Amino acid sequence: MTIHEKEGFFGPFGGCFLPEELTQEMSRVAAAYRRLKADPEFINELAYIRKHYQGRPTPVTFAKGLTSLAAGARIYLKREDLNHTGAHKLNHCMGEALLAVKMGKKKLLAETGAGQHGVALATAAAYFGLECEIHMGAVDIAKEKPNVTRMRLLGAKIVPVTSGQQSLKEAVDSAFETYRKEYPTTLYCIGSVVGPHPFPTMVRDFQSVIGQEAREQMLELTGGLPGHVVACVGGGSNAMGLFAGFLEDKDVRLYGVEPLGRGTNPGDHAATLSYGKEGVLHGFKSFLLQDGQGRPAPVYSVASGLDYPGVGPEHAYLKSIGRVSYVTATDQEALDAFYTLCKTDGIIPALESAHAVAYAVKLARGLDKEDSVLVNLSGRGDKDVDFVVSSFGVR
Ligand SMILES: *Cc1c(COP(=O)(O)O)cnc(C)c1O
């Protein structure tokens, strides 16, 4: 195990904790990214893709109905649900895939839990004509049929993982096994601001387009910056992307909303920064939900994109310096917000994003009418509609 000093750390958090051969490969990825992020050709290519393929910029929408319901501050939504494939994840997948092309790699490799990252990565692979291999627990494959079908249509190879709980953790282990054998021709594409350096920095940079656009759009729409900025936090990529546009604006308050699931008992939630402590998982140091023996704890949320026992190291740092407030929303609060936004503004939010919407309404209610709250609507809820309606009906 080797630890990179300085680069790749956010205070004491982050780093690269991997076996030697993969640590060396991570250094090559970091070096390639450092060079490319200053290369006008790379920057222009990514800008072209965002505009002409992804459909960016995504708009900021004044949520008229939600604002009247809250009867407090004005609520605005950054519409990542309108990004191609219906969520923010394609922002970093297209960046990672372009990096893979520039590094001469032939194949993209990843694990997926609910399948959202797998679909975004399979999309990027198809666009660039790269091979794509997605490792997925057998239990998740059975549960997430539509996403498995989408990945197959997009040309990805699905590797079912049948060890242990047959879920996300085993899929990560399995994908890492393949990576150790294939790294000379393959890039492992991490799905959030987690994992070893350079991924937390690089994925944040790719996602920061959300915050840059939103900052300009708020200035144009309202003549000022929002007083409050809210995003849900699983691994933390959509939140880091939005926050990146406002970190230097000391008067803008930032809130990361973690999933409190069924409540505060261990195993009933995935609120890592609220209830976890420091630890190392999947090659980086951050906050971690752990069991009595220091192993990653079982986690749960109604939103499968949020149920990860770790969190991006930059969030751990932003919490430690008090720049971002980390708060929670329960399953129930998120479901209420899901149904509400459908009716008030004609937008079906992803259950992940509904956590941010739930907190934003609570926040707006306590603020005065001149104030404003900007919420990241990280994805659309089409993927959740069948589950929500079969479990809870149509309200
Ligand atoms: C995956 C996902 C998330 C959670 O991931 P972050 O890295 O925390 O952003 C949130 N919203 C949607 C729609 C997702 O698909």
Side-chain angles (χ1 to χ4, degrees), residues 86-89 92 116-117 191-194 203 207 232-240 304-306 315 350-353 377-380 383:
H88 70 288
K89 282 195 176 73
H92 64 247
Q116 294 299 106
H117 176 50
S192 187
V193 285
V194 298
V203 171
Q207 288 295 348
C232 66
V233 176
S237 65
N238 86 86
M240 268 327 304
S304 44
L306 299 180
H315 285 290
L351 280 174
E352 290 81 6
S353 323
L377 204 77
S378 55
R380 64 178 183 229
K383 68 184 178 60

